[in-house]
Each structure stands twice: as structure tokens, then as C-alpha cells.
Amino acid sequence: MLWIKALHIISLVTWFAGLFYLPRLFVYHADTRDEISHARFLVMERKLYIIMTIGAALTAIFGIWMLTAYAWTAYRDTGWLITKLVLVFGLITFHLYCWKLVREFRSGTASHSQVFYRWINEIPSLLLISIVLLAVVKPF
Ligand code: HEM
């Protein structure tokens, strides 16, 4: 099972690389005025979204694998596991919201300022800290 846990961690690092960098791309994209840069950002955002979605899917597969193999039986009476899963649900919601933002850029309807994209960049950081503390420290 330690192999599965290692693969879980490798996958979540891949996922978070995208969750951190995609809103950064939005910040730069929001300030872009020329067509060539706009087209380049669209390609970068789409490719990054594909990679981070693969990372998300693998994180979930290996997580659910551990859950069904031993973790649900071992930890179902604790608070940290259910809290972690609720926060993971929030993370997935943020992931899907990023797809909405990618599509807005693609259709030319993106209306947020770069300040907005800077702020949403903090959401995955807060979720990462909370989820890792819950998973490792298991405080309650
Ligand atoms: C569908 C999503 C997920 C599921 C079902 C899931 C489930 C699990 C399970 C069952 C374990 C083993 C717990 C143990 O044996 O102590 C685990 C470990 C871990 N998970 Fe997740 N997880 C998910 C997503 C995430 C995410 C998004 C993060 C990070 C932000 C994360 C971070 C960790 C870490 C760091 C460990 C190792 C904890 C340790 O062994 O000390 N997981 N996960």
C-alpha cells in the first residue's frame, strides 16, 4: 500500500502544479492585448488543464484505492478523513471552475480583472495546507 500512497502523492504534486500555474496564466492573459499572445495563452491553458486533470484523476484513483483497501475501515470514526474529503470536494469544484475560466478566455467573454485572478490563486494554497495537515497530522 505504500506504493499506492507514493503514487497518490506524486499525482497530487502534478495536479497542484497546474492548480497553481493556471491562475497565474490567467493573470498574464487578462493583460494581453495582441492576438499572437492571446492565441499562445489559449494553447498553454488548454494543455495545462489536460495535464492537471490527469493529475486530479490519478490522485482520486489512488486515494479511493487506499480508502477501499484499508483507510475507510481504519479511519471512518475520525474527523480528519471526512473533513479532508470535504476539502477535496472544494478543490475539485475549484478545478472545474478553472475550466469555466479557460472557456471564457476562449470565447472572448472573460471579464475579470487580473486582480481577481491573483486572488483566486490563493484558494489552492489554502486548500493544500489544510488537506496535507489533516492527512499527515490527523489532528482529530
Ligand atoms: C479523491 C481524493 C482523495 C482521496 C480519496 C484521498 C484518500 C487518501 C487516503 C485513504 C490516504 C491514506 C491515509 C493514511 O493511510 O494515513 C491518503 C493519504 C494522503 N493524502 Fe489523500 N486523498 C485524496 C486527495 C488528496 C489531496 C488532494 C491531497 C493534497 C492536497 C492529499 C494528500 C495526502 C497526503 C499528503 C497523504 C499521506 C498521509 C500520510 O501518510 O501521512 N490527498 N489520501
Side-chain angles (χ1 to χ4, degrees), residues 80-117:
W80 70 268
L81 180 60
I82 196 73
T83 313
K84 174 186 165 174
L85 293 177
V86 169
L87 293 180
V88 170
F89 179 77
L91 201 60
I92 293 169
T93 307
F94 180 78
H95 183 100
L96 296 173
Y97 180 64
C98 283
W99 178 240
K100 180 176 180 286
L101 296 176
V102 168
R103 283 186 21 228
E104 282 178 6
F105 276 111
R106 200 193 289 171
S107 62
T109 57
S111 55
H112 301 290
S113 71
Q114 54 132 310
V115 177
F116 171 81
Y117 299 116

Side-chain angles (χ1 to χ4, degrees), residues 5 8-9 12 15-16 59-60 63-64 66-67 70-71 75 80-81 84-85 88 91 127-128 131-132 135-136 138:
K5 192 181 279 188
H8 182 60
I9 292 170
L12 74 88
W15 186 10
F16 270 89
T59 304
I64 292 167
M66 289 187 287
L67 216 51
Y70 70 92
Y75 300 120
W80 70 268
L81 180 60
K84 174 186 165 174
L85 293 177
V88 170
L91 201 60
L127 286 170
L128 174 68
I131 295 172
V132 170
V136 176
K138 304 181 181 20

